[in-house]
Amino acid sequence: MSKQDSFWLKSLRWIQDKLVHTITVPQRPFDDLNLDPERPMIYVLKTSSFSDMNVLLNISQQLGLPSPNEPLMLKGRMIPRVVCLEGAKPLFGRRAGNEPFLEAFTQLLELHRQDSELDVQLVPVSLFWGRTPGKDDDTMKAAVLEREDPSWLRKALMILFLGRHNFIQFSNAVSLRYMADEHGTDQSIAHKLARVARVHFRRQRKVMTGPALPNRQALFHSLLNAENIKRAIEEEAASKQISEAEAKARAIEYMDEIAADYSDSLVRIAERILTWLWNKLYKGINIKGAEHVRQLHHDGHEIVYVPCHRSHMDYLLLSYILYFQGMVPPHIAAGINLNFWPAGPMFRRGGAFFIRRSFNGNKLYTAVFREYLDQLFAKGYSVEYFTEGGRSRTGRLLVPKTGMLAMTVNSVLRGIERPVTLVPVYLGYDHVMEVATYHKELSGKKKEKESVWQVFGAIRKLGNFGQGYVNFGQPINLQNFLTENVADWREQLANEPESKPSWLTPVVNQLATRVMTNINDAAAASAVTLNSAVLLAAEQNALERNQLEKQLDLYLKLLKGVPYTGYMSVVEGDGQSLVDQGLELKKLVQESDGLGDIVRIDPVHTLSMTYYRNNIIHLLIVPALIANCLTRYEACSRDSVQDTVKEFYPLLEAELFMGIDDLTGYVDRLLSEFVEEGLISGETVYQVNQGKINMLLLLSGLISETMQRYAIIFNLLASRPAIERAELEAESHLLAQRLGALHGVTAPEFYDKKLYGTLSVRLKDLGYLAGKAKPEVIERVRNHSNSLLRSSVRQTIVEAVAAEH
């Protein structure tokens, strides 16, 4: 290369570096992909490109990956570090073929044939200059900025206009050792690798950009031609005694009200704004499991995201995270209450489609909405909706609404060919902006209608909100789920395609419970949630700092040593750093006297901290129940602990959406962890270490309010075995209010009527209601629950039930 050429190339690199901002997916390839730094590595690119190579050079330096400019020395041969499937596209004429690619791979396969120890990693690398999916009616602008197969001139324009939105994506490495051992080393394998690589890059582009977007009016025209909507228009005209033209106009109004109008330009602008917003609000967003969702997209699944609903931030956060994880933001089912100016139009352009709270028997609206959802699935757009229906006011998951799930299952039953997969998502925050409003609503204040003034008010209060958490739970493939529950569902539909299956409603209910359980399985135990779990169980919500740190260390060891599931995450650090984080976020206050430091929950935040505790209470509820047994029962044995946990777990499972597969094994592992931590000693009969009994008492305090609820219910059942479900709910709620007033229970869920309704449904399922259970069974559970309470609380419940009776 001449000095003049070198200067010219350096100048081009300098200009490109000034114009380009590159986002790496995933951000930590060594952690998220199966890359081995000890094995030789070769990059595979789709097209030979100077600009792509320059980006790869810069990113490899940042990530500590091998430089693409340094050849690989194998067996005395200089092998290029980068191989491309095809040559650069010239401005005129034909591009170079893939002969150099085939030659490079043939040479590599030959080296693997000669050396059985050699194992080269092929790492596919995809470059995306902008992520516009294009539209069915693309304009000249889209042609000029052609992204998939650009000439050098078009590439220069893309760098100029889209350089700030460049993405580089690394994929899982392919082992050439495996390819050589499984398929051989002849030249046909090189051709096969070329074909597989082309398919891979085509799929990666689909994952990153998504399917082409339809013109909105063309979409409406397509919907109007759907047979279901045609029939619904005819029925609307007949039932409302209007003309078909008027009914059709009404259907178009519904379409306009519902349909999203996704804009890539708005998404690019929103990306800048949201990056500023998250950097201002949060010190970091912690993500777990995104690589598994990317693989589902790559494998051609229709993805439906089903997150929990904590805040209006949820819509923004999940879309933002997916965008930066190399996936297309989903079309989001948003409540019609959010369709106010200016938020509504912006949400719609960001992919939101609006849904009414109730369809109220409106058959035409129902038909339009279902057909619109079917179109989204059919065209391959990912979708997001909140199965809880609304935001949780207590921090616990709400009982799911099944309407959207039923529509999704119906779309599968109508014959979607691709696998449809639900992806549960846990969203967590160290600070939820609406928490104070939630508690006002729970105390009886009317919910405020969303408006632009609320938006401005929220922006005005922006501050340090700590960390955010996005954990992707275990996916649920709908076709497989249906087969698990109704083995011959396909045959039934083929025989009776128009009839609603009798099994549909119970299966959808089971699916809803599975979704909520999988969300909770992916919970994030953070500094705020763990601090709240400890301090809310302490008297006056305060502890000596040293004691608080030791308790937090215990919880961290329990959660890491005996993980609730593999999908959950636990904050890094120790008790000291967790307390520091709580103080920094002003959730906790520290006071000092001559004997040391005392840390307490800031009285202003006492009620709101119950919200954060409730986010993760299910992760610690079984350890808390075990601790309760150990501190209340004399000569507590392994069998008595197991029996007590089995007695109450069905109720815990129902109200906290828990899904522990091997309950006995889980309890045994926790007991072993208690022994290892020196809290107890013994093998089958346990003795509490009196020097650490306060740690067990604090842990048991986490379940005290739950056990009080169960004691209320089973004392009522013992005194009135034939009590009706509705009466049990009302009486339980009334006694809970009395107990809370006398013993200072402030947790909002303790007084939540809906929670007692959930429990009563579970009691009915378990055969405890309507006099079906044997009296001795009810008395046994009552005695168990009573024995796990403080004597003063137990006395209040017993006397109150006796007075009622």
Side-chain angles (χ1 to χ4, degrees), residues 245-497:
E246 289 175 303
K248 183 177 180 180
R250 189 170 295 176
I252 294 173
E253 285 179 13
Y254 292 153
M255 293 174 197
D256 192 53
E257 175 188 308
I258 293 167
D261 190 16
Y262 186 89
S263 164
D264 178 70
S265 300
L266 179 73
V267 169
R268 288 204 304 272
I269 295 169
E271 172 257 310
R272 298 261 186 107
I273 296 171
L274 289 177
T275 297
W276 168 83
L277 180 66
W278 300 135
N279 289 336
K280 185 172 179 63
L281 290 181
Y282 301 108
K283 288 197 169 182
I285 305 294
N286 303 275
I287 306 159
K288 183 171 182 180
E291 65 277 8
H292 302 304
V293 183
R294 260 198 309 274
Q295 189 61 48
L296 288 171
H297 275 289
H298 188 273
D299 293 342
H301 288 238
E302 170 62 36
I303 303 295
V304 180
Y305 297 97
V306 278
C308 61
H309 203 3
R310 311 277 190 217
S311 165
H312 283 316
M313 282 288 187
D314 299 342
Y315 304 98
L316 304 176
L317 180 60
L318 184 53
S319 291
Y320 179 83
I321 290 302
L322 290 170
Y323 184 82
F324 277 95
Q325 289 293 319
M327 292 169 274
V328 180
H331 281 57
I332 307 166
I336 196 68
N337 58 306
L338 294 179
N339 191 18
F340 62 87
W341 189 89
M346 288 195 298
F347 285 156
R348 197 184 294 277
R349 302 281 281 177
F353 60 97
F354 293 97
I355 180 172
R356 296 181 179 182
R357 291 291 183 191
S358 171
F359 293 5
N360 283 328
N362 188 332
K363 292 184 179 180
L364 180 58
Y365 180 89
T366 302
V368 168
F369 189 88
R370 284 181 173 173
E371 195 63 37
Y372 176 72
L373 196 63
D374 279 358
Q375 289 255 6
L376 292 181
F377 292 149
K379 292 180 180 293
Y381 305 122
S382 56
V383 172
E384 172 190 339
Y385 51 75
F386 299 95
T387 47
E388 292 171 281
R391 293 164 293 160
S392 169
R393 266 59 177 173
T394 65
R396 294 175 173 224
L397 294 184
L398 303 177
V399 175
K401 304 287 194 299
T402 58
M404 288 296 293
L405 282 174
M407 289 185 190
T408 305
V409 171
N410 272 311
S411 293
V412 172
L413 299 183
R414 282 194 284 271
I416 293 181
E417 295 299 325
R418 293 188 319 284
V420 178
T421 299
L422 304 180
V423 176
V425 188
Y426 175 92
L427 300 171
Y429 308 87
D430 283 343
H431 179 81
V432 174
M433 288 189 295
E434 300 100 321
V435 162
T437 305
Y438 294 163
H439 292 316
K440 289 176 183 176
E441 291 174 15
L442 287 169
S443 64
K445 184 178 178 181
K446 187 177 179 182
K447 179 180 179 292
E448 291 183 25
K449 185 179 180 181
E450 281 78 9
S451 69
V452 67
W453 307 114
Q454 279 190 336
V455 175
F456 289 141
I459 292 173
R460 184 174 55 83
K461 297 175 183 177
L462 297 184
N464 175 17
F465 289 173
Q467 303 273 327
Y469 307 87
V470 181
N471 289 353
F472 295 93
Q474 184 177 10
I476 304 167
N477 180 288
L478 283 188
Q479 283 91 341
N480 291 346
F481 182 85
L482 288 172
T483 302
E484 287 172 16
N485 289 276
V486 188
D488 62 341
W489 65 275
R490 296 179 191 273
E491 291 78 7
Q492 289 189 37
L493 289 175
N495 295 331
E496 299 180 65

Side-chain angles (χ1 to χ4, degrees), residues 648-656 710 714 759 762-763 766:
F648 291 108
Y649 178 74
L651 296 176
L652 295 171
E653 181 183 42
E655 69 166 287
L656 297 176
Y710 296 168
F714 280 98
L759 289 173
R762 187 59 170 157
L763 289 167
L766 293 170

